[in-house]
Amino acid sequence: PHRLGNYLGYKDLDELHSEWIKYIWLAEDHNALQAHRGSYKTTSILIVGFLWWVLFHWNDTVAIIRKDFTSASEVLKAITRHLKGEKFLSLFYAIYGFEYKIITSTGAKVTLNIKASETPEGNLQAYGKDGSLTGKHFDKIICDDIITIRDRISQIERESVDNLVRELMANIINPGHYVSFAGTPWHPKDTWRILPTPKKYDIYTTKIKAFTEKRIAEIKRDTTGVLFAANYELKHIPSDELIFTEPTWITDWDTTAPSWGHIDAKYQGDHTGAFTIMAKKYDGRIQAIGFIF
């Protein structure tokens, strides 16, 4: 599937994204996937994934659900541009020998004339988390980033997403079909705790070219350790176990502050050696740097 994405202009997609697309779209049960921010998760799973799916499943009804309708609609509009574009139209014609037409196209819904069944739902519909889904039924539902920073700061928001997930699984998905979830974690008590156990792809395992060691260091510098762990390492650090709950990254060192150094020596085997320097500044803050060998 990622080669379809390459053909349509998404040059950064590779075999890993094919793995994600197939995992989500060929699901045989409710399933979930966590991938770090900036990993082209939405592009591959939602945009390229739907286009790959609709090539062979014209009659399916699909819903994409994101945190808010605006972001869901942006994805649908991107998909619609490809459905109207010469590249995808030519590909479809090369496979089947005839052209399809779009008979419904709004910011919330797109329907193709090759869809045989008469249903109120289109081939693809977009919803925000708070959209009205009552009475709707779909063959495939993909929830992408329905858990965000709002869930980190609001218990009410977390409970609202919990309720949405239960409604999707119980009443909105058609019998014998499945709901898939993709995103990143934000809070130990967010909705990931009630979802199927996700496949996880952190910033160190995806090997995405844009995330060089320098870029990862910049992200660490510009965010807190707790949020970096959640959004990029896909794990939670309990704040009550942290010595420094909200550290900031600095690029200069106060050389006038009294400093202490510590060597943790390597002796043999697989152990490493470490050298740490810490200094207490005159305003009470502590600065630290460490090296490992």
Side-chain angles (χ1 to χ4, degrees):
H2 81 276
R3 291 186 177 182
L4 172 62
N6 298 158
Y7 168 69
L8 295 174
Y10 302 107
K11 302 301 184 184
D12 293 317
L13 302 189
D14 58 23
E15 288 83 359
L16 175 66
H17 299 101
S18 279
E19 181 181 328
W20 295 357
I21 293 167
K22 289 187 283 188
Y23 175 70
I24 292 295
W25 287 91
L26 299 176
E28 297 181 351
D29 200 349
H30 303 309
N31 67 359
L33 182 149
Q34 288 183 358
H36 65 84
R37 298 179 72 182
S39 59
Y40 312 116
K41 168 181 54 62
T42 299
T43 298
S44 60
I45 292 174
L46 291 189
I47 298 176
V48 178
F50 174 79
L51 293 166
W52 175 72
W53 189 253
V54 81
L55 271 176
F56 312 105
H57 302 85
W58 312 334
N59 212 39
D60 278 6
T61 56
V62 177
I64 56 173
I65 303 175
R66 307 196 77 200
K67 192 64 154 183
D68 57 77
F69 173 72
T70 299
S71 61
S73 180
E74 288 172 353
V75 171
L76 187 143
K77 288 176 182 176
I79 291 170
T80 303
R81 285 196 297 271
H82 288 299
L83 290 172
K84 293 178 177 178
E86 183 61 31
K87 283 190 173 183
F88 195 79
L89 285 164
S90 298
L91 177 62
F92 188 93
Y93 186 84
I95 296 172
Y96 295 109
F98 65 90
E99 295 182 354
Y100 62 81
K101 295 186 182 300
I102 297 175
I103 56 176
T104 303
S105 179
T106 69
K109 178 179 178 179
V110 63
T111 306
L112 307 178
N113 67 335
I114 51 178
K115 181 177 178 292
S117 62
E118 290 295 330
T119 65
E121 298 82 11
N123 287 93
L124 179 64
Q125 292 191 209
Y127 292 91
K129 183 211 32 118
D130 297 318
S132 178
L133 287 157
T134 303
K136 301 293 192 300
H137 300 284
F138 294 93
D139 299 314
K140 185 67 178 174
I141 299 173
I142 300 179
C143 297
D144 178 63
D145 287 333
I146 60 171
I147 301 164
T148 66
I149 196 169
R150 284 156 55 184
D151 299 76
R152 180 168 182 81
I153 62 179
S154 171
Q155 180 179 345
I156 294 174
E157 184 69 18
R158 295 194 291 271
E159 292 172 352
S160 175
V161 178
D162 287 356
N163 292 334
L164 168 66
V165 166
R166 295 187 179 104
E167 174 71 1
L168 293 176
M169 290 182 170
N171 299 316
I172 308 302
I173 193 70
N174 282 329
H177 296 262
Y178 308 105
V179 185
S180 296
F181 302 87
T184 53
W186 284 89
H187 189 277
K189 294 183 179 179
D190 64 28
T191 303
W192 285 105
R193 77 191 190 286
I194 66 171
L195 294 179
T197 302
K199 283 192 172 185
K200 294 189 176 187
Y201 300 84
D202 63 37
I203 196 169
Y204 309 113
T205 58
T206 57
K207 308 294 185 185
I208 292 175
K209 293 178 182 178
F211 289 97
T212 61
E213 289 186 10
K214 179 181 178 182
R215 178 57 187 146
I216 293 173
E218 290 172 348
I219 296 171
K220 285 183 177 180
R221 183 193 67 206
D222 295 336
T223 189
T224 66
V226 172
L227 285 182
F228 180 84
N231 290 174
Y232 292 93
E233 297 177 322
L234 309 178
K235 63 184 182 181
H236 293 295
I237 301 175
S239 58
D240 56 359
E241 294 181 10
L242 295 175
I243 299 173
F244 308 110
T245 57
E246 294 292 331
T248 58
W249 293 80
I250 61 173
T251 56
D252 59 334
W253 185 274
D254 184 352
T255 57
T256 66
S259 301
W260 290 264
H262 174 253
I263 296 174
D264 187 352
K266 171 182 178 177
Y267 290 100
Q268 60 185 356
D270 296 330
H271 292 248
T272 54
F275 178 43
T276 307
I277 307 171
M278 301 185 77
K280 187 169 185 178
K281 301 177 68 170
Y282 293 100
D283 61 6
R285 292 183 297 166
I286 295 174
Q287 60 190 10
I289 190 168
F291 306 89
I292 196 166
F293 308 95

